[in-house]
């Protein structure tokens, strides 16, 4: 996750302490001293929508053998002992689980901050109030465009209006809420509208996700943005973030799942002669160190299996029903887990020779694997030129 706001203006928001500290840098070689990873728990595979890019391939049906309430509490107990700072409840649609509130409250009481990733369609005013009352730190609501553009992606007519009501209900009760927008070839034209929308609706945070080719999203790998479109998207995001700042509007703008974004911001500041800002951006992307799947970020699926992140569910390290998450996480007998914790020597192609490897860490491995079949190949979504990454003569194969 890259905070555009932080890189440009050094503003501090919740979560930045996990991304931009000396400890965050140290965490590149394993869970940081005294701190476990941020954990995403895809708590159910059931969903009332059917999004085209869903990495879980979720559907509106009941799946058997998901973790029970008691199993989930034991899992949370271990996360607390392992000093996991944040547990992100995701899905499917996590609010479909009848025990969502019980488990989120349990995590909160144990000192593991619950956050929620949801399609927003089930958030009535009462639900929003309950979310707020139990201390959910943040609610991220997925929208992939406005009106029909969103509904086409979400697979259900009326999804936009319901998500919109969910957002407004969160805002009305004072619950911290933001948007999750996955950029692809079909909705890139909506970017400017999204900035207008968050200003109009008094939403203070938006995360722009890059597509990762996983689950139903695998079929969209040919519908991802081009390198040129990625650069154009970043230019819009940077310009609009600066505009918010200039007008004194406190909005937190982030991008997710493509660490080229931080490097691009740095190079842009250099090319504009803004040395001070370039130095600031370089400082933060160096502190962060790039992709940390399998290091400071992990995932557990609805059935208890542990993976490096939510998009990499085809690589499994164990099951929390058999062994504690903390033990599975520190066990490097699996070559993918060992490799992720120290990946630089394994990387191939452009990534292996890139001058920004310390700031990007080879980006997203699952995208490389989805396109090339090799987990350690270069990330195909890198939109920086050979010249920019310092291999103008071409990368060795
Ligand atoms: S070449 Fe690889 S390591 Fe370098 S910026 Fe691109 S994705 Fe990141």
């Amino acid at each position: 996750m890259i905070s555009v706001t932080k890189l440009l203006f050094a503003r501090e928001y919740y979560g930045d302490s996990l991304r931009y500290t000396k400890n965050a840098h140290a965490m590149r070689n394993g869970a940081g001293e005294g701190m476990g990873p941020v954990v995403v728990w895809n708590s159910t595979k059931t969903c009332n929508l059917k999004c085209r890019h869903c990495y879980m391939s979720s559907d509106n049906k009941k799946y058997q053998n998901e973790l029970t309430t008691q199993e989930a509490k034991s899992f949370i107990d271990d996360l607390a002992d392992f000093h996991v700072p944040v547990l992100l409840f995701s899905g499917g649609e996590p609010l479909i689980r009848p025990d969502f509130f019980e488990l989120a409250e349990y995590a909160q009481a144990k000192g593991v901050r619950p956050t929620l990733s949801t399609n927003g369609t089930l958030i009535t005013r009462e639900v929003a109030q309950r979310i707020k009352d139990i201390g959910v730190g943040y609610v991220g609501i997925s929208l992939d465009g406005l009106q029909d553009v969103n509904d086409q992606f979400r697979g259900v007519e009326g999804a936009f209006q319901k998500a919109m009501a969910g957002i407004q209900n969160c805002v009305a009760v004072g619950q911290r809420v933001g948007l999750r927008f996955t950029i692809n070839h079909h909705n890139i034209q909506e970017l400017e509208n999204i900035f207008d929308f968050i200003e109009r609706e008094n939403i203070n945070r938006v995360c722009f996700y890059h597509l990762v080719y996983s689950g139903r999203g695998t079929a969209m790998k040919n519908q991802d943005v081009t390198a040129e479109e990625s650069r154009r998207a970043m230019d819009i995001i940077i310009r609009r973030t600066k505009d918010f700042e200039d007008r004194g509007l406190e909005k937190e703008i982030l991008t997710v799942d493509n660490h080229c974004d931080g490097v691009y911001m740095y190079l842009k500041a250099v090319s504009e002669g803004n040395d001070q800002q370039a130095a600031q951006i370089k400082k933060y992307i160096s502190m962060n160190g790039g992709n940390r799947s399998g290091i400071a970020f992990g995932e557990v699926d609805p059935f208890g299996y542990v993976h490096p992140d939510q998009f990499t569910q085809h690589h499994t390290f164990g099951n929390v029903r058999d062994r504690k998450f903390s033990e599975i996480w520190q066990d490097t007998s699996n070559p993918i887990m060992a490799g992720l914790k120290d990946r630089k020597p394994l990387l191939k192609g452009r990534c292996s020779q890139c001058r920004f490897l310390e700031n990007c860490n080879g980006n997203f491995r699952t995208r490389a694997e989805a396109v090339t079949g090799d987990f350690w190949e270069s990330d195909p979504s890198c939109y920086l030129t050979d010249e920019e990454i310092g291999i103008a003569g071409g990368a060795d194969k």
Side-chain angles (χ1 to χ4, degrees), residues 4 40 294 367:
V4 176
V40 173
R367 246 185 334 239

Side-chain angles (χ1 to χ4, degrees), residues 23 65 193 256 258 265 306 322 345 381:
N23 191 39
N65 207 27
N193 294 338
V256 190
N258 193 337
M265 289 177 66
V306 177
D322 305 326
S381 292

Side-chain angles (χ1 to χ4, degrees), residues 258-260 263 347 350-365 378-379 381-384 389 391:
N258 193 337
H259 279 271
C260 298
V263 176
L347 294 173
R350 279 162 49 93
C351 290
S352 67
Q353 296 170 53
C354 170
R355 70 182 169 118
F356 294 108
L357 190 51
E358 282 293 320
N359 310 121
C360 175
N361 211 20
N363 224 349
F364 222 103
R365 299 292 86 227
S378 287
D379 185 332
S381 292
C382 179
Y383 55 86
L384 303 171
I389 65 168
I391 56 163

